[in-house]
Amino acid sequence: MAGKGKVQIIQAPTDLRKRAVNFKTGFGVILSPQETQKLQLVVERSSDEFTRNIGEKLKALREELGQLDDGEAPSKAMVGRIVADALEIKGLGGTFKFPLLTQIAKSLHDYAMQISEPNAWNTVIVSHHIDALYVVLAQRITGLGGRIEAELLKALRAASTKFK
């Protein structure tokens, strides 16, 4: 270990650096305007696939929640899938110009992460989050939305806090 106050820099092995930045076929560390434009095109082309994939996940979650009887709690396995799907949506929403989707997914993820013993309220709160995600995706609401969307997000967070 370096002395107190000193920083020791450890170089990555050459083969690791080659994999991280491929100078023959990939992009360099500092992107040129042309490379930035190429990356933006890739993201735009992937947007439809993202929308379709997330839509399928939300549809599956809605169907699974719809099969629960009134007052029935989700299973721990279902809560695990909700956590995983919400994390994926949260992580990718901003990339595809859906920051509101990211915020709602974050609220859902945070809520689902604290569920230790599922109860009927969890089903209700999770369903509302999924419905909100579905609307944002189906209406292709890019950006943060407006006043109504902000109030919806605030209400989802308040319900998440109140009904654990």
Side-chain angles (χ1 to χ4, degrees):
M1 182 170 183
K4 188 174 184 177
K6 293 185 179 181
V7 176
Q8 181 182 9
I9 298 175
I10 301 171
Q11 291 292 327
T14 306
D15 61 326
L16 181 60
R17 281 187 275 160
K18 284 180 183 175
R19 279 187 263 153
V21 180
N22 184 337
F23 292 104
K24 292 182 181 176
T25 61
F27 297 106
V29 175
I30 300 173
L31 297 176
S32 69
Q34 295 83 8
E35 290 172 326
T36 301
Q37 189 175 22
K38 281 182 185 179
L39 285 173
Q40 287 173 340
L41 284 171
V42 168
V43 169
E44 287 171 16
R45 287 187 198 129
S46 300
S47 183
D48 287 338
E49 184 178 341
F50 164 78
T51 303
R52 189 172 37 259
N53 288 342
I54 298 305
E56 289 170 5
K57 286 182 186 297
L58 293 175
K59 181 181 176 191
L61 286 172
R62 270 179 141 183
E63 289 173 355
E64 196 169 349
L65 287 167
Q67 292 175 0
L68 296 176
D69 292 330
D70 281 343
E72 187 177 353
S75 67
K76 287 186 178 188
M78 183 188 292
V79 171
R81 283 191 300 283
I82 292 164
V83 167
D85 288 350
L87 183 64
E88 180 180 351
I89 296 167
K90 178 178 101 168
L92 292 173
T95 302
F96 294 99
K97 299 180 183 175
F98 287 100
L100 181 59
L101 200 71
T102 294
Q103 289 185 354
I104 296 170
K106 180 186 181 329
S107 176
L108 175 58
H109 180 262
D110 292 349
Y111 180 71
M113 282 294 294
Q114 57 85 34
I115 298 172
S116 57
E117 292 298 321
N119 62 54
W121 281 113
N122 300 144
T123 304
V124 173
I125 303 302
V126 166
S127 294
H128 288 311
H129 276 85
I130 291 172
D131 289 346
L133 289 167
Y134 199 77
V135 168
V136 170
L137 195 64
Q139 297 296 317
R140 291 189 175 264
I141 300 173
T142 56
L144 295 173
R147 183 182 56 80
I148 294 171
E149 289 82 2
E151 287 178 18
L152 171 66
L153 187 57
K154 185 178 175 182
L156 288 171
R157 288 180 177 155
S160 297
T161 302
K162 185 174 181 176
F163 299 103
K164 294 181 179 182

